[in-house]
């Protein structure tokens, strides 16, 4: 286990920031590195060539991102001015029954949520996954407390389709008064 902090300390300064965050998110999520281990990696990076480029990386690490694609989506949202309020948002029915969980969430007025699902090909394109996703989506939408948007890697980018769509949904609604 002592080898992992050293390997990460070598890799992180050489990676693009989003890839460094994704790698750190992943090792923390998998339990391969603890919070103390992350602090050790940061100490080991200090003074290395490229360490200055990592200054923004550490605050962005969040092991709740369950894939590099989710990390990239979260980072794009932050860069695009629409940071999510929560990751891995759990929605329950009125009876408390678990209905589903979404990758990114924004709280809306009246206890509503705007949820974003980031669908990677490897997992979400399998026939059984499509059926499971459809059932979960229907359960979430049936609460009338959720707006659910789905995105793929093609939608990412700080000014990509995902961020533009989220901005449009998060724009304060303008009440129209009849004349």
């Amino acid at each position: 286990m002592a080898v992992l902090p050293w390997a990460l300390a070598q890799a992180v300064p050489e990676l693009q920031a989003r890839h460094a965050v994704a790698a750190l998110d992943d090792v923390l999520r998998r339990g391969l590195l603890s919070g103390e281990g992350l602090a050790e990696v940061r100490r080991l990076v200090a003074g290395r060539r490229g360490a200055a480029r990592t200054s923004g990386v550490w605050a962005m690490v969040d092991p709740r991102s369950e894939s590099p694609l989710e990390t990239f989506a979260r980072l794009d949202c932050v860069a695009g001015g629409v940071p999510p309020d929560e990751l891995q948002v759990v929605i329950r029915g009125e009876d408390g029954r678990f209905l589903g969980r979404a990758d990114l969430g924004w709280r809306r007025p009246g206890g509503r949520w705007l949820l974003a699902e980031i669908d990677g090909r490897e997992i979400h394109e399998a026939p059984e996954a499509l059926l499971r996703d459809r059932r979960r989506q229907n359960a979430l939408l049936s609460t009338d407390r959720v707006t659910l948007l789905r995105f793929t890697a093609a939608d990412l980018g700080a000014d990509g389709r995902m961020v533009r769509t989220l901005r449009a949904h998060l724009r304060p609604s303008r009440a129209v008064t009849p004349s």
Side-chain angles (χ1 to χ4, degrees), residues 26-178:
D26 189 58
V27 295
L28 285 168
R29 181 185 60 80
R30 291 179 189 222
L32 300 174
L33 193 70
S34 65
E36 290 174 5
L38 180 64
E40 175 65 13
V41 173
R42 190 172 185 179
R43 281 191 295 277
L44 292 169
V45 166
R48 295 182 71 87
R49 182 173 50 87
R53 287 194 311 262
T54 69
S55 63
V57 165
W58 310 104
M60 297 305 297
V61 174
D62 191 322
R64 294 176 298 168
S65 288
E66 293 186 337
S67 71
L69 195 58
E70 286 183 29
T71 297
F72 299 155
R74 176 173 50 89
L75 296 176
D76 289 347
C77 288
V78 170
V82 289
D85 294 319
E86 292 291 333
L87 304 182
Q88 308 308 329
V89 178
V90 171
I91 302 296
R92 298 189 180 279
E94 289 187 21
D95 60 358
R97 184 175 49 95
F98 175 82
L99 298 176
R101 183 169 48 89
D103 301 326
L104 307 170
W106 293 260
R107 287 183 185 86
R108 305 304 295 148
R112 293 187 51 80
W113 282 95
L114 172 61
L115 300 176
E117 275 290 286
I118 313 304
D119 296 338
R121 285 181 131 175
E122 185 177 312
I123 293 174
H124 293 279
E125 285 191 354
E128 56 278 355
L130 288 170
L131 293 173
R132 186 178 56 248
D133 286 347
R134 185 178 302 142
R135 279 188 225 106
R136 183 170 48 92
Q137 180 171 328
N138 289 342
L140 292 172
L141 294 176
S142 72
T143 67
D144 286 330
R145 292 176 290 142
V146 168
T147 300
L148 180 65
L149 303 172
R150 301 189 84 91
F151 301 101
T152 66
D155 300 317
L156 299 187
D159 202 31
R161 185 177 300 124
M162 179 189 68
V163 169
R164 290 191 313 269
T165 301
L166 289 166
R167 277 190 200 129
H169 278 276
L170 293 167
R171 188 176 305 131
S173 60
R174 294 184 176 93
V176 178
T177 54

Side-chain angles (χ1 to χ4, degrees), residues 8 12 15 18-28 71:
L8 288 167
V12 166
L15 295 171
R18 63 194 288 116
H19 293 280
V21 173
L24 294 168
D25 283 356
D26 189 58
V27 295
L28 285 168
T71 297

